[in-house]
Amino acid sequence: MRWPATTLTGRTIAFLVAPYGAEQAELTSPWQAVAEAGGTPRLLSTAPGRVLAVRHRDPGDTFAVDATVAEADQADYDGLVLPGGVASPDHLRLDGRAVAFVHAVCASGRPVAAICHAAWTLIEADAVRGRTLTSWPSLRTDLLNAGARWVDEEVHVCRDGPGVLVTSRKPADLPVFEDAFVTEFSHAASKRR
């Protein structure tokens, strides 16, 4: 275990994915990190039921949705994790309720962690202007055009905004991504209480 089991005790962390296409490792590994640190992860999506993750391009496992973004109150969450994959963030950025949820969490000053293609959802939520992020390399131009600064790093923690933004590039970066966001989520939640 990388953190004390009480690091995120009392904190509820939203994980937002589309009904299809979240990269499974980028959902399950951060989920486990939150749980190991004593937090309560909750899966949100744009539709009720189950979501189907992917392992790159192959179908992965399904996961039960705890609530839809339409019924979820962003104020109930201490932080937000946006897993990547190509299809999930692309779907989320076209869903007005998902975009509004992400925008509200970002504007509130609560911490957000996004990996791989999840930056697309942040772009649509107007949450990257003036921020420094990393992502899957193909999103570099999208982020620059949205007013962000892009860096090629395993993990980048940006504090130039209302809340901390933790970003990473790909599944291989998950260990450092998880260390960074668990630490930042713990600090941010302590300040809110």
Side-chain angles (χ1 to χ4, degrees):
M1 185 176 302
R2 295 180 275 181
W3 318 275
T6 57
T7 302
L8 294 177
T9 297
R11 276 81 172 203
T12 303
I13 308 300
F15 281 71
L16 177 59
V17 299
Y20 172 79
E23 183 63 43
Q24 185 159 321
E26 295 172 358
L27 170 60
T28 59
S29 188
W31 183 283
Q32 183 178 351
V34 167
E36 285 179 3
T40 303
R42 302 247 316 146
L43 185 59
L44 307 181
S45 190
T46 56
R50 298 185 72 81
V51 298
L52 175 61
V54 295
R55 292 183 182 106
H56 303 292
R57 294 187 178 143
D58 297 325
D61 297 322
T62 63
F63 301 90
V65 173
D66 292 307
T68 66
V69 287
E71 61 196 15
D73 182 350
Q74 54 83 22
D76 292 339
Y77 300 94
D78 297 292
L80 172 64
V81 176
L82 296 168
V86 177
S88 180
D90 193 43
H91 174 85
L92 292 177
R93 67 182 175 161
L94 295 174
D95 185 288
R97 289 179 175 157
V99 171
F101 184 90
V102 173
H103 176 80
V105 172
C106 291
S108 75
R110 277 168 284 156
V112 175
I115 187 167
C116 196
H117 287 77
W120 272 338
T121 310
L122 293 172
I123 291 168
E124 198 64 33
D126 194 24
V128 301
R129 189 175 320 280
R131 310 292 303 262
T132 301
L133 293 84
T134 193
S135 68
W136 185 252
S138 66
L139 275 67
R140 178 182 178 271
T141 300
D142 297 338
L143 284 160
L144 294 173
N145 287 339
R149 179 175 171 260
W150 186 83
V151 292
D152 184 11
E153 299 173 0
E154 284 182 313
V155 66
H156 188 84
V157 177
C158 179
R159 294 180 180 86
D160 298 330
V164 173
L165 183 56
V166 180
T167 54
S168 278
R169 303 169 302 184
K170 57 190 174 186
D173 298 336
L174 281 166
V176 292
F177 176 63
E178 292 159 5
D179 285 342
F181 87 70
V182 167
T183 298
E184 295 300 331
F185 282 23
S186 175
H187 293 311
S190 296
K191 292 176 189 173
R192 289 182 63 209
R193 302 211 188 267

